[in-house]
PDB file of all heavy atoms in Angstrom:
ATOM      1  N   THR A   1     -31.188 -30.753 -23.684  1.00 95.00           N
ATOM      2  CA  THR A   1     -30.272 -31.643 -24.421  1.00 95.00           C
ATOM      3  C   THR A   1     -31.032 -32.287 -25.584  1.00 95.00           C
ATOM      4  O   THR A   1     -30.479 -32.402 -26.689  1.00 95.00           O
ATOM      5  CB  THR A   1     -29.686 -32.721 -23.481  1.00 95.00           C
ATOM      6  OG1 THR A   1     -28.967 -32.048 -22.426  1.00 95.00           O
ATOM      7  CG2 THR A   1     -28.751 -33.629 -24.231  1.00 95.00           C
ATOM      8  N   ALA A   2     -32.261 -32.709 -25.368  1.00 93.00           N
ATOM      9  CA  ALA A   2     -33.077 -33.315 -26.411  1.00 93.00           C
ATOM     10  C   ALA A   2     -33.297 -32.331 -27.567  1.00 93.00           C
ATOM     11  O   ALA A   2     -33.171 -32.696 -28.757  1.00 93.00           O
ATOM     12  CB  ALA A   2     -34.397 -33.819 -25.852  1.00 93.00           C
ATOM     13  N   LEU A   3     -33.545 -31.095 -27.239  1.00 93.00           N
ATOM     14  CA  LEU A   3     -33.739 -30.056 -28.276  1.00 93.00           C
ATOM     15  C   LEU A   3     -32.438 -29.815 -29.064  1.00 93.00           C
ATOM     16  O   LEU A   3     -32.457 -29.692 -30.285  1.00 93.00           O
ATOM     17  CB  LEU A   3     -34.223 -28.755 -27.652  1.00 93.00           C
ATOM     18  CG  LEU A   3     -35.682 -28.758 -27.203  1.00 93.00           C
ATOM     19  CD1 LEU A   3     -35.997 -27.547 -26.331  1.00 93.00           C
ATOM     20  CD2 LEU A   3     -36.631 -28.837 -28.373  1.00 93.00           C
ATOM     21  N   ARG A   4     -31.316 -29.797 -28.355  1.00 94.00           N
ATOM     22  CA  ARG A   4     -30.026 -29.623 -29.026  1.00 94.00           C
ATOM     23  C   ARG A   4     -29.753 -30.852 -29.915  1.00 94.00           C
ATOM     24  O   ARG A   4     -29.288 -30.697 -31.037  1.00 94.00           O
ATOM     25  CB  ARG A   4     -28.886 -29.449 -28.018  1.00 94.00           C
ATOM     26  CG  ARG A   4     -28.810 -28.060 -27.440  1.00 94.00           C
ATOM     27  CD  ARG A   4     -27.496 -27.810 -26.700  1.00 94.00           C
ATOM     28  NE  ARG A   4     -27.286 -28.742 -25.587  1.00 94.00           N
ATOM     29  CZ  ARG A   4     -27.673 -28.509 -24.340  1.00 94.00           C
ATOM     30  NH1 ARG A   4     -28.262 -27.380 -24.025  1.00 94.00           N
ATOM     31  NH2 ARG A   4     -27.433 -29.402 -23.405  1.00 94.00           N
ATOM     32  N   ASP A   5     -30.056 -32.037 -29.417  1.00 93.00           N
ATOM     33  CA  ASP A   5     -29.859 -33.252 -30.218  1.00 93.00           C
ATOM     34  C   ASP A   5     -30.702 -33.256 -31.463  1.00 93.00           C
ATOM     35  O   ASP A   5     -30.250 -33.641 -32.536  1.00 93.00           O
ATOM     36  CB  ASP A   5     -30.142 -34.501 -29.368  1.00 93.00           C
ATOM     37  CG  ASP A   5     -29.046 -34.807 -28.355  1.00 93.00           C
ATOM     38  OD1 ASP A   5     -28.035 -34.081 -28.328  1.00 93.00           O
ATOM     39  OD2 ASP A   5     -29.200 -35.796 -27.626  1.00 93.00           O
ATOM     40  N   ILE A   6     -31.953 -32.801 -31.350  1.00 92.00           N
ATOM     41  CA  ILE A   6     -32.827 -32.741 -32.539  1.00 92.00           C
ATOM     42  C   ILE A   6     -32.238 -31.769 -33.585  1.00 92.00           C
ATOM     43  O   ILE A   6     -32.209 -32.081 -34.764  1.00 92.00           O
ATOM     44  CB  ILE A   6     -34.260 -32.327 -32.119  1.00 92.00           C
ATOM     45  CG1 ILE A   6     -34.916 -33.495 -31.383  1.00 92.00           C
ATOM     46  CG2 ILE A   6     -35.079 -31.946 -33.368  1.00 92.00           C
ATOM     47  CD1 ILE A   6     -36.252 -33.165 -30.739  1.00 92.00           C
ATOM     48  N   ALA A   7     -31.712 -30.659 -33.111  1.00 92.00           N
ATOM     49  CA  ALA A   7     -31.075 -29.727 -34.037  1.00 92.00           C
ATOM     50  C   ALA A   7     -29.851 -30.365 -34.685  1.00 92.00           C
ATOM     51  O   ALA A   7     -29.607 -30.212 -35.900  1.00 92.00           O
ATOM     52  CB  ALA A   7     -30.686 -28.436 -33.299  1.00 92.00           C
ATOM     53  N   ASP A   8     -29.070 -31.086 -33.914  1.00 91.00           N
ATOM     54  CA  ASP A   8     -27.872 -31.772 -34.449  1.00 91.00           C
ATOM     55  C   ASP A   8     -28.269 -32.883 -35.413  1.00 91.00           C
ATOM     56  O   ASP A   8     -27.614 -33.088 -36.442  1.00 91.00           O
ATOM     57  CB  ASP A   8     -27.016 -32.359 -33.329  1.00 91.00           C
ATOM     58  CG  ASP A   8     -26.310 -31.274 -32.491  1.00 91.00           C
ATOM     59  OD1 ASP A   8     -26.167 -30.142 -33.015  1.00 91.00           O
ATOM     60  OD2 ASP A   8     -25.955 -31.558 -31.341  1.00 91.00           O
ATOM     61  N   LEU A   9     -29.340 -33.611 -35.108  1.00 88.00           N
ATOM     62  CA  LEU A   9     -29.804 -34.662 -36.008  1.00 88.00           C
ATOM     63  C   LEU A   9     -30.268 -34.070 -37.347  1.00 88.00           C
ATOM     64  O   LEU A   9     -30.058 -34.649 -38.402  1.00 88.00           O
ATOM     65  CB  LEU A   9     -30.938 -35.478 -35.357  1.00 88.00           C
ATOM     66  CG  LEU A   9     -30.554 -36.357 -34.184  1.00 88.00           C
ATOM     67  CD1 LEU A   9     -31.770 -36.914 -33.487  1.00 88.00           C
ATOM     68  CD2 LEU A   9     -29.633 -37.482 -34.623  1.00 88.00           C
ATOM     69  N   GLU A  10     -30.874 -32.898 -37.285  1.00 87.00           N
ATOM     70  CA  GLU A  10     -31.278 -32.198 -38.483  1.00 87.00           C
ATOM     71  C   GLU A  10     -30.044 -31.838 -39.339  1.00 87.00           C
ATOM     72  O   GLU A  10     -30.035 -32.006 -40.537  1.00 87.00           O
ATOM     73  CB  GLU A  10     -32.092 -30.964 -38.157  1.00 87.00           C
ATOM     74  CG  GLU A  10     -32.669 -30.276 -39.382  1.00 87.00           C
ATOM     75  CD  GLU A  10     -33.553 -29.110 -39.017  1.00 87.00           C
ATOM     76  OE1 GLU A  10     -33.396 -28.521 -37.927  1.00 87.00           O
ATOM     77  OE2 GLU A  10     -34.434 -28.769 -39.833  1.00 87.00           O
ATOM     78  N   GLN A  11     -28.962 -31.370 -38.657  1.00 85.00           N
ATOM     79  CA  GLN A  11     -27.728 -31.072 -39.369  1.00 85.00           C
ATOM     80  C   GLN A  11     -27.107 -32.314 -40.005  1.00 85.00           C
ATOM     81  O   GLN A  11     -26.440 -32.231 -41.031  1.00 85.00           O
ATOM     82  CB  GLN A  11     -26.709 -30.450 -38.367  1.00 85.00           C
ATOM     83  CG  GLN A  11     -27.074 -29.061 -37.914  1.00 85.00           C
ATOM     84  CD  GLN A  11     -26.983 -28.030 -39.040  1.00 85.00           C
ATOM     85  OE1 GLN A  11     -26.126 -28.147 -39.911  1.00 85.00           O
ATOM     86  NE2 GLN A  11     -27.884 -27.071 -39.052  1.00 85.00           N
ATOM     87  N   LEU A  12     -27.319 -33.482 -39.346  1.00 80.00           N
ATOM     88  CA  LEU A  12     -26.805 -34.733 -39.905  1.00 80.00           C
ATOM     89  C   LEU A  12     -27.623 -35.287 -41.042  1.00 80.00           C
ATOM     90  O   LEU A  12     -27.282 -36.300 -41.656  1.00 80.00           O
ATOM     91  CB  LEU A  12     -26.711 -35.785 -38.773  1.00 80.00           C
ATOM     92  CG  LEU A  12     -25.647 -35.515 -37.711  1.00 80.00           C
ATOM     93  CD1 LEU A  12     -25.819 -36.499 -36.545  1.00 80.00           C
ATOM     94  CD2 LEU A  12     -24.247 -35.647 -38.294  1.00 80.00           C
ATOM     95  N   GLY A  13     -28.760 -34.646 -41.330  1.00 79.00           N
ATOM     96  CA  GLY A  13     -29.568 -35.097 -42.464  1.00 79.00           C
ATOM     97  C   GLY A  13     -30.934 -35.657 -42.110  1.00 79.00           C
ATOM     98  O   GLY A  13     -31.658 -36.113 -43.001  1.00 79.00           O
ATOM     99  N   LEU A  14     -31.308 -35.663 -40.859  1.00 81.00           N
ATOM    100  CA  LEU A  14     -32.633 -36.164 -40.464  1.00 81.00           C
ATOM    101  C   LEU A  14     -33.655 -35.121 -40.917  1.00 81.00           C
ATOM    102  O   LEU A  14     -33.644 -33.952 -40.474  1.00 81.00           O
ATOM    103  CB  LEU A  14     -32.726 -36.361 -38.961  1.00 81.00           C
ATOM    104  CG  LEU A  14     -34.090 -36.769 -38.410  1.00 81.00           C
ATOM    105  CD1 LEU A  14     -34.474 -38.145 -38.941  1.00 81.00           C
ATOM    106  CD2 LEU A  14     -34.080 -36.814 -36.892  1.00 81.00           C
ATOM    107  N   ALA A  15     -34.509 -35.514 -41.849  1.00 84.00           N
ATOM    108  CA  ALA A  15     -35.510 -34.574 -42.382  1.00 84.00           C
ATOM    109  C   ALA A  15     -36.812 -34.781 -41.624  1.00 84.00           C
ATOM    110  O   ALA A  15     -37.310 -35.915 -41.545  1.00 84.00           O
ATOM    111  CB  ALA A  15     -35.720 -34.834 -43.872  1.00 84.00           C
ATOM    112  N   PHE A  16     -37.318 -33.718 -41.034  1.00 85.00           N
ATOM    113  CA  PHE A  16     -38.569 -33.798 -40.262  1.00 85.00           C
ATOM    114  C   PHE A  16     -39.226 -32.440 -40.237  1.00 85.00           C
ATOM    115  O   PHE A  16     -38.642 -31.425 -40.612  1.00 85.00           O
ATOM    116  CB  PHE A  16     -38.300 -34.278 -38.851  1.00 85.00           C
ATOM    117  CG  PHE A  16     -37.462 -33.337 -38.018  1.00 85.00           C
ATOM    118  CD1 PHE A  16     -38.010 -32.290 -37.298  1.00 85.00           C
ATOM    119  CD2 PHE A  16     -36.086 -33.490 -37.978  1.00 85.00           C
ATOM    120  CE1 PHE A  16     -37.241 -31.428 -36.560  1.00 85.00           C
ATOM    121  CE2 PHE A  16     -35.302 -32.623 -37.253  1.00 85.00           C
ATOM    122  CZ  PHE A  16     -35.865 -31.589 -36.543  1.00 85.00           C
ATOM    123  N   TYR A  17     -40.475 -32.448 -39.841  1.00 87.00           N
ATOM    124  CA  TYR A  17     -41.195 -31.177 -39.576  1.00 87.00           C
ATOM    125  C   TYR A  17     -41.932 -31.382 -38.268  1.00 87.00           C
ATOM    126  O   TYR A  17     -42.201 -32.491 -37.847  1.00 87.00           O
ATOM    127  CB  TYR A  17     -42.134 -30.798 -40.711  1.00 87.00           C
ATOM    128  CG  TYR A  17     -43.250 -31.792 -40.957  1.00 87.00           C
ATOM    129  CD1 TYR A  17     -44.491 -31.645 -40.388  1.00 87.00           C
ATOM    130  CD2 TYR A  17     -43.045 -32.907 -41.841  1.00 87.00           C
ATOM    131  CE1 TYR A  17     -45.536 -32.544 -40.618  1.00 87.00           C
ATOM    132  CE2 TYR A  17     -44.043 -33.793 -42.069  1.00 87.00           C
ATOM    133  CZ  TYR A  17     -45.294 -33.608 -41.458  1.00 87.00           C
ATOM    134  OH  TYR A  17     -46.317 -34.514 -41.712  1.00 87.00           O
ATOM    135  N   SER A  18     -42.237 -30.292 -37.590  1.00 88.00           N
ATOM    136  CA  SER A  18     -42.902 -30.405 -36.310  1.00 88.00           C
ATOM    137  C   SER A  18     -44.335 -29.832 -36.405  1.00 88.00           C
ATOM    138  O   SER A  18     -44.579 -28.895 -37.175  1.00 88.00           O
ATOM    139  CB  SER A  18     -42.114 -29.679 -35.233  1.00 88.00           C
ATOM    140  OG  SER A  18     -42.000 -28.296 -35.522  1.00 88.00           O
ATOM    141  N   GLU A  19     -45.203 -30.442 -35.631  1.00 89.00           N
ATOM    142  CA  GLU A  19     -46.591 -30.013 -35.536  1.00 89.00           C
ATOM    143  C   GLU A  19     -46.948 -29.856 -34.086  1.00 89.00           C
ATOM    144  O   GLU A  19     -46.539 -30.688 -33.250  1.00 89.00           O
ATOM    145  CB  GLU A  19     -47.528 -31.019 -36.196  1.00 89.00           C
ATOM    146  CG  GLU A  19     -47.562 -30.953 -37.713  1.00 89.00           C
ATOM    147  CD  GLU A  19     -48.636 -31.845 -38.308  1.00 89.00           C
ATOM    148  OE1 GLU A  19     -49.387 -32.510 -37.550  1.00 89.00           O
ATOM    149  OE2 GLU A  19     -48.714 -31.906 -39.523  1.00 89.00           O
ATOM    150  N   THR A  20     -47.721 -28.812 -33.772  1.00 86.00           N
ATOM    151  CA  THR A  20     -48.180 -28.627 -32.403  1.00 86.00           C
ATOM    152  C   THR A  20     -49.581 -29.195 -32.279  1.00 86.00           C
ATOM    153  O   THR A  20     -50.241 -29.523 -33.258  1.00 86.00           O
ATOM    154  CB  THR A  20     -48.179 -27.135 -32.030  1.00 86.00           C
ATOM    155  OG1 THR A  20     -49.011 -26.455 -32.960  1.00 86.00           O
ATOM    156  CG2 THR A  20     -46.771 -26.556 -32.069  1.00 86.00           C
ATOM    157  N   GLY A  21     -50.005 -29.328 -31.074  1.00 81.00           N
ATOM    158  CA  GLY A  21     -51.371 -29.783 -30.829  1.00 81.00           C
ATOM    159  C   GLY A  21     -51.407 -31.238 -30.376  1.00 81.00           C
ATOM    160  O   GLY A  21     -50.395 -31.873 -30.145  1.00 81.00           O
ATOM    161  N   ARG A  22     -52.622 -31.751 -30.287  1.00 79.00           N
ATOM    162  CA  ARG A  22     -52.834 -33.107 -29.777  1.00 79.00           C
ATOM    163  C   ARG A  22     -52.123 -34.184 -30.579  1.00 79.00           C
ATOM    164  O   ARG A  22     -51.551 -35.112 -30.032  1.00 79.00           O
ATOM    165  CB  ARG A  22     -54.345 -33.375 -29.724  1.00 79.00           C
ATOM    166  CG  ARG A  22     -54.681 -34.773 -29.290  1.00 79.00           C
ATOM    167  CD  ARG A  22     -56.123 -34.950 -29.124  1.00 79.00           C
ATOM    168  NE  ARG A  22     -56.368 -35.146 -27.697  1.00 79.00           N
ATOM    169  CZ  ARG A  22     -57.507 -35.367 -27.157  1.00 79.00           C
ATOM    170  NH1 ARG A  22     -58.578 -35.351 -27.882  1.00 79.00           N
ATOM    171  NH2 ARG A  22     -57.611 -35.576 -25.860  1.00 79.00           N
ATOM    172  N   SER A  23     -52.202 -34.109 -31.874  1.00 76.00           N
ATOM    173  CA  SER A  23     -51.496 -35.141 -32.692  1.00 76.00           C
ATOM    174  C   SER A  23     -50.138 -34.595 -33.192  1.00 76.00           C
ATOM    175  O   SER A  23     -49.643 -35.049 -34.222  1.00 76.00           O
ATOM    176  CB  SER A  23     -52.369 -35.517 -33.886  1.00 76.00           C
ATOM    177  OG  SER A  23     -52.574 -34.396 -34.724  1.00 76.00           O
ATOM    178  N   GLY A  24     -49.575 -33.658 -32.454  1.00 81.00           N
ATOM    179  CA  GLY A  24     -48.324 -33.032 -32.871  1.00 81.00           C
ATOM    180  C   GLY A  24     -47.137 -33.925 -32.590  1.00 81.00           C
ATOM    181  O   GLY A  24     -47.240 -35.105 -32.243  1.00 81.00           O
ATOM    182  N   GLY A  25     -45.994 -33.345 -32.723  1.00 88.00           N
ATOM    183  CA  GLY A  25     -44.717 -34.057 -32.525  1.00 88.00           C
ATOM    184  C   GLY A  25     -43.810 -33.792 -33.706  1.00 88.00           C
ATOM    185  O   GLY A  25     -44.083 -32.916 -34.548  1.00 88.00           O
ATOM    186  N   TYR A  26     -42.747 -34.543 -33.806  1.00 89.00           N
ATOM    187  CA  TYR A  26     -41.839 -34.423 -34.907  1.00 89.00           C
ATOM    188  C   TYR A  26     -42.128 -35.532 -35.906  1.00 89.00           C
ATOM    189  O   TYR A  26     -42.103 -36.712 -35.554  1.00 89.00           O
ATOM    190  CB  TYR A  26     -40.386 -34.546 -34.396  1.00 89.00           C
ATOM    191  CG  TYR A  26     -40.003 -33.409 -33.490  1.00 89.00           C
ATOM    192  CD1 TYR A  26     -40.126 -33.488 -32.110  1.00 89.00           C
ATOM    193  CD2 TYR A  26     -39.461 -32.234 -34.045  1.00 89.00           C
ATOM    194  CE1 TYR A  26     -39.780 -32.451 -31.290  1.00 89.00           C
ATOM    195  CE2 TYR A  26     -39.109 -31.175 -33.212  1.00 89.00           C
ATOM    196  CZ  TYR A  26     -39.243 -31.291 -31.839  1.00 89.00           C
ATOM    197  OH  TYR A  26     -38.917 -30.236 -31.052  1.00 89.00           O
ATOM    198  N   HIS A  27     -42.469 -35.139 -37.126  1.00 87.00           N
ATOM    199  CA  HIS A  27     -42.822 -36.111 -38.176  1.00 87.00           C
ATOM    200  C   HIS A  27     -41.612 -36.272 -39.071  1.00 87.00           C
ATOM    201  O   HIS A  27     -41.149 -35.293 -39.702  1.00 87.00           O
ATOM    202  CB  HIS A  27     -44.000 -35.603 -38.975  1.00 87.00           C
ATOM    203  CG  HIS A  27     -45.259 -35.463 -38.155  1.00 87.00           C
ATOM    204  ND1 HIS A  27     -46.202 -36.444 -38.132  1.00 87.00           N
ATOM    205  CD2 HIS A  27     -45.697 -34.492 -37.328  1.00 87.00           C
ATOM    206  CE1 HIS A  27     -47.199 -36.083 -37.314  1.00 87.00           C
ATOM    207  NE2 HIS A  27     -46.908 -34.888 -36.815  1.00 87.00           N
TER     208      HIS A  27
END
């Protein structure tokens, strides 16, 4: 559900990029 919500938030205009690794996450 969280992954689907992130995709929906992106459709709503939330601009972000994701990084993997220790300091990763959604920026």
Side-chain angles (χ1 to χ4, degrees):
T1 301
L3 286 169
R4 281 193 301 268
D5 285 359
I6 288 171
D8 290 339
L9 291 171
E10 186 176 25
Q11 290 292 325
L12 291 171
L14 177 63
F16 63 88
Y17 62 94
S18 61
E19 283 187 1
T20 58
R22 177 174 246 182
S23 63
Y26 295 92
H27 297 263

